[in-house]
Amino acid sequence: MFNKKNKTGNTANCISDSNTKSKKNLLFQHRIKIDTTTLFLLIILFPFQVFTSKAQDFPTVKELDKKAEYALKQGDTYTALDIYAEAAKKENADDHVLFRLGELQMQTRDYAAAQQTFKKLYERNYEEFLLSKYYYALMCKRMGEYEKAEKLLREFSKEYRGADTYYYKSFSKNDAEGAKLAQDLLQQSSSYEVNHAGTDINSAYTEFSPLYLSPSEMIYASLKADSVISYDPSKLKKEVDYRAKFYHAQKENELWSETGEYQGSFNSPDAETGNGAFSPDSQRFYFTRCNLDKEQKMICEIYKSEKKNGKWSEPEKLPEAINRPGFTATQPAVTTYSRTGGDLLYFASDRIPSRGGLDIWYSYHDQRRDRWQMPRNLGRRVNTIGDDMTPFYDEVFGYLYFSSDGWPGVGGLDIFKVKGEEGKYRSYPENLGFPINSGADDMYFSIDYSTNKGFIVSNRKGSISLKSPTCCDDIFEIKIDRSLEFGLDGYVYYKEADDTTDNKHILKNATVRLVRANSGIPVGETDSDENGFFFFPLNKASDYFITVSKAGYLTYKSEKITTKGLLVSDTLHQPAIVLMPKTEKAIKIDNIYYEYDSDKLTAASKATIDTTVYRILQANPDVILEIGSHTDSRGSDEYNMRLSHGRALSVVNYLIDKGIEKERLQAKGYGESEPVAPNTHPDGSDNPEGRAQNRRTAFKVIGSIQLDDEDYSIYYEGERE
């Protein structure tokens, strides 16, 4: 059960194109947030009543439009969808009807139908319905057409000018990065196997929040019915009030079977119930109850029951510190608060101030005072301007798992993991990739390390469908293959700019980031320790690089690191990383040679440039470098100045040819004016060694440029303050 505000219609509202000249979108006006259970209540209210119009009932498109809008005001999404589908068939249907139809198809997660609707609208009336291109691209992404989706999304992010420009530009760039990431992840193998948990526990409506009791027992929440539910619109109330409840299931011969409602006083005839979480000692059970308020907004609240004398107590609602009036608090996850030993509670909420729709918050129980502390937002290392939800804390390895549509993902809601606890996260969230994630919504990750098995919830193809192949959430079981595990370690040093020896010094507290090679998305971050050491776990069959940075030093970027082709678990060793201080002093580049009496670079010199100054410029896109060349004293001053400038210019031109912006480079010839060693001995004889030292090429930082980091506004910095 969750509330969602979402740009794609993932069980949520969709925002109408601001350039549409027809009536305002009801979804935009009311900002409807639809809980999972709410959506499926809408399904069961009108379970298979496909709307069929008669000419005498709704003779015009205008009247159909009014009828559909009235249905939306009543919260009846599926009837509105059927009416718009009928209206779209009429010869005089305008494109407003087509846009509204596509919105509702997205909202009810019929991705294939929405893709075709928005494709048609985009191809014939993009000028008026600018968002049709965005939604069409999103549906291409949902259908796994990632290359096409990335192209369309990048085009849209550059073209779009309209209401909520920042919102749409940010999300379209983020979605484009997700489509790029998907193409990368599809080339990698996975340690996960995902299988449908079976038709005995999964129904045609919705299942969510699965939770292991033991390797062969689970509880989960579901909206179930023994038969097709009918509803008479003439009656004010359903004859049977169906609610989401907790159920128990048993596993035998690798098959899950439902055994009935979960025993205890958790289920209620007056609320939607779900999202269970046990305390680490299994003596407390946290869960949510949800109901529509007067404004038809689904409000969820967290309850707690305690085990006393082997029985669960009557549930009590947590205090207002957690359940803030007028806002949702849902999806509890519980671990141990390291400072006091009490319960540390993670939960999703739309409470203010929120970074987006749902954010993940945390609070802990003060045992001495018997009270809950005011919740804190997990911050921008977890929460985004999208929705961040379904937290699960892994106490074994210290990872927080959660679902989000605000980080680059391969579908709608993707599952991520991040290292840390409470609000302290040094790494960036890592996308779990395929097959954990899909083009659909993927949520509720949990794991049991005693069996290396776990659960996710998804509406991907293969789930039991009611209205479309991707309409409905089912439980899937996952298995982890731990036969291959990899790591990367290394050491960070620094060296003074004018130190010509091999001396290097340990550099602690340098920021080391692990980055996916093809997409450029960070997946891990740590600090070098007091010995300059760092370590990362790596996935199998994956490509990475690392960057190392520290204030006052030039950033380092490694060559590609890969686990592809490795058939035995291993730790890879990164060669020693040496950072250079940012200084006005020139830093010599060894082994740059020119042909005799010429400014033409040799092949060996080009190879040296590729591994030194070129990599420095790539890793430090904000710096402006001067490339300086020096000669010995042979020849006239004028000749040496001209030769040295030509040689420096050769290096600059070579770097420009490799893609470095010319504004970041400056060539300067110094001739023989700045020797670093005597050209002759004291007795006047020639000093070949000194002349060799003077014939050199060096670089130094002479300025910086302001970077446009808007492309990374979501997953690096969050929304603009």
Side-chain angles (χ1 to χ4, degrees), residues 480-501:
I480 304 178
D481 177 9
R482 296 197 174 278
S483 61
L484 282 180
E485 295 186 332
F486 301 100
L488 171 73
D489 65 18
Y491 290 86
V492 183
Y493 303 94
Y494 74 94
K495 185 177 179 180
E496 297 294 348
D498 55 357
D499 187 348
T500 59
T501 70

Side-chain angles (χ1 to χ4, degrees), residues 30 129 143 167 211 214 230 239 322 377 382 394 397 415 426-427 447 455 467 499 512 606 635 656:
H30 298 291
F129 292 85
M143 298 299 291
Y167 176 89
L211 183 67
S214 73
S230 61
E239 294 180 357
I322 306 298
N377 191 293
V382 172
D394 165 18
F397 294 103
I415 298 170
R426 286 304 317 275
S427 66
I447 192 71
F455 296 112
K467 295 285 284 185
D499 187 348
V512 188
K606 292 178 180 179
I656 291 172

Side-chain angles (χ1 to χ4, degrees), residues 31 40 77 90 104 150 206 210 226 234 265 267 271 315 317 324 342 472 535 584 648 654 668 703:
R31 305 294 293 173
F40 286 96
T77 305
K90 290 184 172 291
L104 294 177
E150 182 186 2
T206 183
D226 296 329
S234 66
S265 53
N267 293 330
K317 187 170 69 173
R324 187 172 177 179
C472 310
F535 175 83
E584 294 181 357
Y654 177 71
K668 187 168 183 179

